Amino acid sequence: MAPGGGICKDVIESHITFAEYDMATSSAELRGSPLRKAATSLGGNLGATSTNDVHELLECPVCLNLMYPPIYQCPNGHTVCSICKARVHNSCPTCRNELGNIRCLALEKVAESLELPCRYQILGCHDIFPYYSKLKHEKNCRYRPYHCPYAGAECSVTGDIPFLVMHLKNDHKVDMHDGCTFNHRYVKSNPHEVENATWMLTVFNCFGRQFCLHFEAFHIGMAPVYMAFLRFMGDEDDARQFSYSLEVGGYGRKVIWQGVPRSIRDSHRKVRDSQDGLIIQRNLALFFSGGDRQELKLKVAGRIWKEQ
């Protein structure tokens, strides 16, 4: 074997194929994770190999993430992940030889023998998964962090629900209310200025859970509209346990909407663009506002209840 060569030249390649994954997980997860099975694909020596040794074999030398099929190797046995293969322009980052399309099937087989905890173990997920099932689980793990539901700015903060509630209160100065009924008045001096921006977000603590009431102005096609909708701070399965109603009106007329709150797993824009909420045309909203129709004064009432 060439000096500094990888392990893939010293093993019999196993003709196993695996689905390609489009994301990499941090190599730090493997460093501290127990190996639940003793893999024996490396000339019979891996059973005595430490976790750190296995980590080094599966770590991409470019991005330092754990590698998933297809794993490529150069003629000297150095490996690289499929994403970084394109980044290094098909040149081995270790010895600069051409990578080509040689698969390191043996290393892919080694990874198959491992079982690892979910990366969100510290947040409450205690399940163990085979190496190649781990990423699929983590994409939908119920313990994965939530994104900040504030829609007035592109906020990149993530965390669990208690953390996000404090973040909304302290950093975004969002109004917090206790109770399952509400009656809000939205006022805008120039309702003809309709921008794709959230006007207001209010958080309600109801049944021991948190709900986000959004009210904003935007366009559907060329038509300016106002929209109010509710999002649940939790997963979709829990959101289905609740229902809500919204009502707006004036001068003997009213519009009522009833629906199920959407989980904040769905982005604000996704919910808005699906039109899953109470939508009011501007002319009707100005009619409800009364007066000379030059100022928006819209009262939105609603309630939240738990389904039996």
Side-chain angles (χ1 to χ4, degrees), residues 186-191 193-194 199 226 294-297:
Y186 299 98
V187 178
K188 189 171 179 63
S189 58
N190 187 356
E193 294 180 358
V194 178
W199 283 15
Y226 305 107
Q294 297 303 309
E295 185 178 32
L296 179 70
K297 296 179 180 179

Side-chain angles (χ1 to χ4, degrees), residues 136-165:
K136 182 177 180 181
H137 160 77
E138 289 171 351
K139 289 179 181 178
N140 299 293
C141 178
R142 66 176 287 115
Y143 294 97
R144 70 192 189 277
Y146 295 90
H147 291 278
C148 173
Y150 190 77
E154 294 296 331
C155 182
S156 60
V157 170
T158 62
D160 59 14
I161 298 303
F163 172 80
L164 289 181
V165 170

Side-chain angles (χ1 to χ4, degrees), residues 53-67:
D53 292 334
V54 178
H55 149 254
E56 290 175 359
L57 295 176
L58 290 170
E59 184 183 76
C60 173
V62 179
C63 65
L64 303 182
N65 289 320
L66 298 181
M67 295 186 290

Side-chain angles (χ1 to χ4, degrees), residues 18-25 63 65-70 81-84 87 119 132 134-140:
F18 301 92
E20 182 175 356
Y21 288 86
D22 62 356
M23 60 183 291
T25 190
C63 65
N65 289 320
L66 298 181
M67 295 186 290
Y68 292 85
C81 74
S82 59
I83 296 176
C84 290
R87 292 176 180 171
R119 69 185 302 176
Y132 291 133
K134 184 170 174 286
L135 283 181
K136 182 177 180 181
H137 160 77
E138 289 171 351
K139 289 179 181 178
N140 299 293

Side-chain angles (χ1 to χ4, degrees), residues 151-152 186 194-201 213-219 225-229 268-269 271-273 278-280 296 298:
Y186 299 98
V194 178
E195 300 175 352
N196 287 310
T198 297
W199 283 15
M200 184 172 291
L201 170 64
L213 176 63
H214 296 266
F215 182 82
E216 65 177 278
F218 67 106
H219 287 88
V225 299
Y226 305 107
M227 182 175 178
F229 58 91
H268 162 269
R269 182 175 294 274
V271 179
R272 189 198 71 181
D273 291 348
L278 175 64
I279 297 177
I280 313 154
L296 179 70
L298 204 59

Side-chain angles (χ1 to χ4, degrees), residues 1-289:
M1 181 174 69
I7 64 168
C8 292
K9 299 185 68 176
D10 294 334
V11 298
I12 300 175
E13 293 185 347
S14 303
H15 297 285
I16 306 294
T17 59
F18 301 92
E20 182 175 356
Y21 288 86
D22 62 356
M23 60 183 291
T25 190
S26 171
S27 60
E29 300 167 38
L30 186 56
R31 290 190 183 99
S33 302
L35 300 183
R36 301 294 291 250
K37 296 179 181 178
T40 59
S41 300
L42 300 180
N45 293 325
L46 189 58
T49 302
S50 69
T51 301
N52 285 338
D53 292 334
V54 178
H55 149 254
E56 290 175 359
L57 295 176
L58 290 170
E59 184 183 76
C60 173
V62 179
C63 65
L64 303 182
N65 289 320
L66 298 181
M67 295 186 290
Y68 292 85
I71 299 173
Y72 291 99
Q73 63 171 329
C74 75
N76 287 328
H78 304 125
T79 55
V80 68
C81 74
S82 59
I83 296 176
C84 290
K85 180 176 180 286
R87 292 176 180 171
V88 298
H89 305 292
N90 211 37
S91 175
C92 175
T94 303
C95 67
R96 305 306 177 190
N97 277 328
E98 184 178 356
L99 282 169
N101 292 308
I102 304 173
R103 291 276 293 276
C104 187
L105 299 178
L107 190 55
E108 294 177 6
K109 182 64 175 178
V110 170
E112 182 188 18
S113 67
L114 305 179
E115 289 188 347
L116 303 173
C118 174
R119 69 185 302 176
Y120 305 121
Q121 184 181 49
I122 193 174
L123 298 178
C125 183
H126 300 298
D127 293 333
I128 302 295
F129 300 92
Y131 189 84
Y132 291 133
S133 301
K134 184 170 174 286
L135 283 181
K136 182 177 180 181
H137 160 77
E138 289 171 351
K139 289 179 181 178
N140 299 293
C141 178
R142 66 176 287 115
Y143 294 97
R144 70 192 189 277
Y146 295 90
H147 291 278
C148 173
Y150 190 77
E154 294 296 331
C155 182
S156 60
V157 170
T158 62
D160 59 14
I161 298 303
F163 172 80
L164 289 181
V165 170
M166 295 306 298
H167 166 68
L168 289 171
K169 179 180 179 180
N170 297 331
D171 298 329
H172 294 298
K173 310 303 180 184
V174 170
D175 290 334
M176 303 283 173
H177 297 275
D178 292 326
C180 299
T181 60
F182 47 89
N183 195 330
H184 278 261
R185 191 176 184 87
Y186 299 98
V187 178
K188 189 171 179 63
S189 58
N190 187 356
H192 297 282
E193 294 180 358
V194 178
E195 300 175 352
N196 287 310
T198 297
W199 283 15
M200 184 172 291
L201 170 64
T202 307
V203 174
F204 294 92
N205 182 34
C206 174
F207 297 107
R209 308 303 294 266
Q210 289 72 42
F211 299 81
C212 297
L213 176 63
H214 296 266
F215 182 82
E216 65 177 278
F218 67 106
H219 287 88
I220 297 179
M222 299 296 294
V225 299
Y226 305 107
M227 182 175 178
F229 58 91
L230 202 70
R231 286 202 292 168
F232 174 74
M233 296 188 71
D235 278 337
E236 183 179 353
D237 289 343
D238 293 331
R240 293 195 188 102
Q241 300 177 21
F242 300 92
S243 294
Y244 74 101
S245 64
L246 297 174
E247 178 180 316
V248 61
Y251 298 92
R253 299 165 179 81
K254 63 182 176 181
V255 177
I256 300 175
W257 163 268
Q258 180 173 319
V260 176
R262 297 280 287 271
S263 166
I264 60 171
R265 295 287 189 201
D266 290 334
S267 69
H268 162 269
R269 182 175 294 274
K270 179 179 180 180
V271 179
R272 189 198 71 181
D273 291 348
S274 69
Q275 301 178 31
D276 189 6
L278 175 64
I279 297 177
I280 313 154
Q281 298 289 334
R282 184 170 65 188
N283 286 339
L284 182 59
L286 292 176
F287 175 80
F288 289 154
S289 299

